[in-house]
Amino acid sequence: MLTVIPKSILLVCFNLLILVSRSVCFNLLILVSRSQSRFLLHRCDGGNFTTNSTFQTNLNSVVSSLASATSTASFFSRSAGQTPDTANAIALCRGDVDLNTCRSCINVANVNALQLCPNRRGATVWYDDCMIRYSGESILGNPDSNGGAIFTVNNYANVEELYLDLRPLMDRLRSEASGRDSDRKFASGETPGPGFMTIYGLMQCTPDLSDVQCYNCLETATNSIPNCCNASLDVRILYPSCNLRYSDSRFYNAKVVLPPPPVEGSPELVPEPVPALPPGKSNDMTIVAIIVPTVVVIFVVVFIFIFVRRRRKPEQQPSDNLVHEQGDIDEITTIKSLLYSFAIIKAATNDFSENNKLGDGGFGVVYKGKLQNGKEIAVKRLSRNSGQGELEFENEVLLLARLQHRNLVRLLGYSLQGRERLLVYEFVENGSLDKFIFDPTKHATIDWETRYKILGGIARGLLYLHEDSRLKIIHRDLKASNILLDAQMNPKIADFGMARLFTPEETQANTCRIVGTYGYMAPEYALHGQFSVKSDVFSFGVLILEIITGHNNHSFQNGEVVEDLLSHVWKCWRDGTTLSLIDPILKDGSNSLRDMIRCIHIGLLCVQENDYDRPTMGSIVLMLGSSSLTLAVPTKPAFYMHTITDPEKPLLKAHISSKSDSNHSKSKSKYTRRSMEKDASMKDFIKL
């Protein structure tokens, strides 16, 4: 006999179905969102291995075992095989995620690591919740601090204020992660930031590192922040051996803590038993309570599986190691990510056509090019007889690519083929500064405000090279033709072919191979091969005087006398006729004559004979930014130069031969320098 279910029972069942469905869907969505940890970055290392080789078998074994190994710990390592086919792998989960999230993240990372770095003996893959690393070399106890940075473009306006508040948090977390808990090497915390902001931070090392190794790795990561991330409010530094993150919003779970690595022989965690359904319920209610959620679960799982499968494909195939979250700000991580195909560059420049030629540099010709995506580039084709090896060239490229500042021309990449060596730069629309200030027509188009902005930009670019970048760089060839102007007339320092790298401890160096451009060179460098940051300061001083007067430094026409600019400026300063130096275009309707005279004053301080008397670039930036600072009284410039024949010709070497001496003696140039013998010739030091 058919039993009729009362209407009230049906209503209860319907409501129960809705509640159960909502609950199941909600919990499944949470589970999927936690299990799908966001991909961040990957790095491929080592050489290639042969398919189906012993190493591949060992590698597959250790990688596949990582997820099960992390069932009771946040960090685990595996090793399989004998040398030279040993495969080593580690897995590290973020110290604030639960075990289920950890295992799910490792499972996804295992698959992606092998796909992203096919047939490579080493790889590191970073996700939001975990990191895995494998290699044919030993990993445990060997710190590796080569990785990348990820940051957003929600930059804070006051850089100094942000870093001043950030530093104590970074120092505290570094000490806690490296020393407080040697089993986990993880720390998180917060600190008051600028204004009403709160800054949240997290640091972690792989637990195989010693306390000192962990501290050093995190210190390297911390020190890279000012150079990589443009005062971003959300920054990650990802290294294989350590990582850090800070943000103006909370991103970590302060309550969930993974247990430390298990002691060998300790029992595994056993899941709690699922409680049975309470007895006494009707069969109908039992059927509704079991079958309906099951059907809902099946449909939801199928739907989510299809959705995630489609969505995951593009995320697992990042194009390269240039990683950014918003905007187009990149952090260079590997030299290979900068490599351009020679054929692509050749096509972009129309086979290095003369029509695409932009100019000749000291070490090669520069061409304009356009890539297939429409992006314009500048390509420097280096001279084939430079004698530089491939490794040295790649190291130089990587160094230049890591110099990221708005007042430096940005290196986009390079190309190598046989003896061909190409440097690919961003294309700067308005060309070089000398085309404006020395051109009879164009120099009238740049008013005082523009010239003052150019001076400030050059000064900030040099300050970055000397003090603010990770490495101290001496440019050694600063001149008007090496300053490029973008569409908004912002200056960008270019041509680092003669630049010299200093360690932080170095203050001065010597060389017997003098390179640079005559007229911009400091006397101690031109005469004795001694150079320092003050050598660039001297060149900047010459550049200041050129920008304000509108004349180049080597051929200033003063009535019937042709003399160098420094000599003429000093005479006018000494005689109280400084106003006569200023470009007439700037005088018309300008209320900034006082600022112009102050800049001439700063220029004379930069070209003092004794490098000790010249200001640093930090002081110069302050001088240009504040009219209230009292300036020192300048003395006579370092040396005078008369009737220079070819000042733009580079000085390439010292200690010339007697034949060169003979040829040089025919030049009409004369050089005098205070505290030297009168009319002492420079022919014993340089070759024009």
Side-chain angles (χ1 to χ4, degrees):
M1 182 176 179
L2 181 62
T3 302
V4 179
I5 302 176
K7 188 176 180 179
S8 59
I9 298 296
L10 290 176
L11 183 60
V12 171
C13 292
F14 180 73
N15 291 331
L16 181 61
L17 172 62
I18 294 176
L19 290 174
V20 171
S21 299
R22 287 179 177 176
S23 177
V24 170
C25 291
F26 179 74
N27 289 317
L28 279 174
L29 287 174
I30 291 177
L31 179 62
V32 171
S33 64
R34 286 182 177 178
S35 64
Q36 292 303 311
S37 181
R38 189 161 64 96
F39 173 85
L40 298 177
L41 178 68
H42 82 283
R43 191 187 80 176
C44 303
D45 299 311
N48 295 328
F49 62 79
T50 306
T51 304
N52 297 325
S53 63
T54 303
F55 179 82
Q56 183 178 20
T57 302
N58 294 334
L59 179 61
N60 292 338
S61 173
V62 297
V63 170
S64 62
S65 65
L66 286 177
S68 60
T70 55
S71 60
T72 60
S74 62
F75 175 75
F76 209 89
S77 65
R78 289 290 195 189
S79 181
Q82 302 295 324
T83 307
D85 297 314
T86 304
N88 304 290
I90 63 172
L92 175 70
C93 288
R94 216 173 68 188
D96 63 316
V97 299
D98 57 74
L99 289 173
N100 288 331
T101 303
C102 175
R103 285 195 295 268
S104 299
C105 181
I106 294 296
N107 277 326
V108 174
N110 287 345
V111 176
N112 280 359
L114 298 174
Q115 291 179 351
L116 294 170
C117 300
N119 293 88
R120 296 294 294 272
R121 295 179 65 90
T124 307
V125 178
W126 290 269
Y127 277 77
D128 201 21
D129 298 318
C130 69
M131 178 272 290
I132 75 161
R133 179 187 178 195
Y134 63 77
S135 175
E137 306 296 330
S138 176
I139 296 177
L140 296 179
N142 294 322
D144 187 340
S145 56
N146 293 308
I150 302 177
F151 51 94
T152 60
V153 293
N154 57 331
N155 299 340
Y156 190 71
N158 191 325
V159 180
E160 291 79 9
E161 187 180 16
L162 173 63
Y163 290 153
L164 184 64
D165 290 339
L166 178 64
R167 173 60 70 174
L169 176 63
M170 296 290 100
D171 291 344
R172 174 165 59 88
L173 295 181
R174 183 169 63 248
S175 298
E176 291 180 1
S178 61
R180 184 185 65 177
D181 185 347
S182 59
D183 287 332
R184 292 182 55 237
K185 291 198 164 41
F186 171 82
S188 62
E190 62 186 68
T191 188
F196 298 100
M197 183 191 309
T198 299
I199 303 176
Y200 302 89
L202 179 153
M203 288 189 179
Q204 186 172 16
C205 294
T206 56
D208 60 296
L209 299 187
S210 67
D211 292 352
V212 174
Q213 288 174 328
C214 177
Y215 186 93
N216 291 338
C217 184
L218 291 173
E219 184 175 42
T220 301
T222 304
N223 292 338
S224 70
I225 292 174
N227 303 319
C228 79
C229 306
N230 296 338
S232 173
L233 292 176
D234 194 343
V235 172
R236 305 170 194 255
I237 306 296
L238 303 172
Y239 293 159
S241 296
C242 66
N243 65 84
L244 69 82
R245 183 182 180 186
Y246 71 83
S247 177
D248 60 336
S249 59
R250 182 183 290 273
F251 59 88
Y252 55 82
N253 189 334
K255 296 181 179 179
V256 178
V257 176
L258 279 171
V263 179
E264 189 171 349
S266 61
E268 297 286 328
L269 291 181
V270 180
E272 294 182 1
V274 179
L277 290 173
K281 299 293 183 180
S282 67
N283 291 335
D284 292 337
M285 292 298 293
T286 303
I287 293 172
V288 170
I290 295 176
I291 296 179
V292 173
T294 304
V295 173
V296 172
V297 168
I298 292 173
F299 276 107
V300 171
V301 169
V302 171
F303 171 79
I304 294 177
F305 176 80
I306 296 174
F307 175 78
V308 172
R309 184 73 175 264
R310 290 181 177 177
R311 190 168 179 260
R312 228 171 62 188
K313 287 183 178 179
E315 293 182 355
Q316 292 178 355
Q317 301 299 330
S319 58
D320 48 37
N321 285 341
L322 304 180
V323 179
H324 52 88
E325 288 188 326
Q326 300 176 26
D328 56 355
I329 306 170
D330 304 329
E331 170 68 9
I332 306 302
T333 59
T334 63
I335 186 65
K336 298 305 179 185
S337 65
L338 304 170
L339 183 62
Y340 280 79
S341 165
F342 181 80
I344 290 177
I345 303 303
K346 185 176 180 181
T349 58
N350 194 20
D351 197 9
F352 305 103
S353 167
E354 281 292 318
N355 295 331
N356 288 48
K357 186 175 178 181
L358 295 175
D360 293 299
F363 293 98
V365 183
V366 181
Y367 299 88
K368 181 180 179 180
K370 179 179 284 190
L371 299 175
Q372 291 180 349
N373 61 5
K375 184 174 183 178
E376 292 183 319
I377 57 175
V379 179
K380 188 168 187 178
R381 192 180 193 185
L382 299 182
S383 173
R384 294 191 177 187
N385 58 0
S386 64
Q388 189 179 41
E390 182 175 331
L391 180 59
E392 292 82 358
F393 175 75
E394 290 184 348
N395 288 339
E396 181 178 352
V397 168
L398 191 56
L399 169 65
L400 295 180
R402 285 174 172 166
L403 296 177
Q404 302 287 324
H405 192 275
R406 62 176 301 182
N407 296 117
L408 303 181
V409 171
R410 188 176 182 187
L411 182 73
L412 302 178
Y414 74 104
S415 181
L416 275 173
Q417 180 167 302
R419 297 180 62 190
E420 289 281 4
R421 283 166 170 75
L422 308 177
L423 295 175
V424 182
Y425 292 94
E426 63 173 318
F427 178 72
V428 185
E429 294 87 340
N430 279 322
S432 57
L433 176 62
D434 63 320
K435 299 297 192 301
F436 283 86
I437 59 176
F438 301 146
D439 185 273
T441 303
K442 284 188 175 182
H443 91 290
T445 64
I446 50 174
D447 56 17
W448 169 243
E449 286 71 23
T450 302
R451 299 192 196 199
Y452 195 70
K453 180 175 74 170
I454 291 171
L455 281 175
I458 299 170
R460 287 189 294 272
L462 281 177
L463 176 62
Y464 172 79
L465 293 175
H466 291 178
E467 299 180 23
D468 294 339
S469 68
R470 204 176 320 177
L471 302 167
K472 185 186 296 185
I473 307 290
I474 313 298
H475 190 279
R476 293 206 298 175
D477 196 23
L478 187 72
K479 56 184 177 181
S481 59
N482 282 342
I483 305 297
L484 304 185
L485 303 172
D486 67 11
Q488 289 74 42
M489 300 298 286
N490 295 307
K492 293 178 179 288
I493 301 174
D495 200 341
F496 288 82
M498 300 178 186
R500 175 69 181 268
L501 176 67
F502 269 34
T503 63
E505 295 77 19
E506 282 185 292
T507 58
Q508 181 175 293
N510 293 277
T511 181
C512 62
R513 184 176 184 268
I514 300 177
V515 295
T517 302
Y518 183 75
Y520 294 90
M521 298 172 64
E524 70 275 5
Y525 179 47
L527 298 174
H528 307 297
Q530 299 173 352
F531 61 93
S532 65
V533 293
K534 296 297 185 72
S535 308
D536 283 350
V537 169
F538 183 94
S539 303
F540 180 70
V542 176
L543 202 50
I544 291 178
L545 301 178
E546 290 182 327
I547 290 174
I548 297 177
T549 63
H551 293 278
N552 53 32
N553 66 76
H554 60 278
S555 59
F556 187 85
Q557 185 76 33
N558 181 22
E560 296 182 356
V561 179
V562 178
E563 59 183 348
D564 69 277
L565 183 60
L566 296 188
S567 302
H568 182 70
V569 170
W570 170 250
K571 290 176 183 177
C572 291
W573 180 271
R574 180 192 61 193
D575 299 338
T577 58
T578 310
L579 282 176
S580 64
L581 295 170
I582 299 173
D583 189 339
I585 294 296
L586 301 180
K587 295 179 181 179
D588 296 340
S590 176
N591 297 320
S592 303
L593 292 177
R594 182 178 178 181
D595 292 336
M596 299 176 198
I597 294 176
R598 181 177 175 85
C599 285
I600 292 175
H601 190 165
I602 295 172
L604 284 173
L605 291 176
C606 293
V607 296
Q608 296 296 282
E609 176 183 12
N610 192 331
D611 61 353
Y612 180 80
D613 296 329
R614 301 172 207 153
T616 63
M617 289 311 306
S619 299
I620 293 170
V621 169
L622 292 176
M623 293 176 189
L624 291 173
S626 174
S627 59
S628 60
L629 290 177
T630 303
L631 304 182
V633 178
T635 57
K636 188 184 298 183
F639 55 84
Y640 296 146
M641 302 163 284
H642 299 279
T643 62
I644 305 306
T645 57
D646 189 6
E648 286 291 307
K649 191 171 183 180
L651 306 177
L652 293 179
K653 59 183 179 180
H655 307 297
I656 58 177
S657 65
S658 57
K659 180 178 180 180
S660 298
D661 287 341
S662 175
N663 292 335
H664 182 81
S665 64
K666 298 177 183 179
S667 171
K668 296 180 180 179
S669 301
K670 293 182 180 179
Y671 312 86
T672 61
R673 182 177 183 268
R674 286 196 305 120
S675 73
M676 291 186 62
E677 292 185 3
K678 187 175 180 180
D679 295 328
S681 173
M682 292 178 67
K683 68 182 181 180
D684 294 329
F685 303 97
I686 59 176
K687 175 182 178 182
L688 288 178

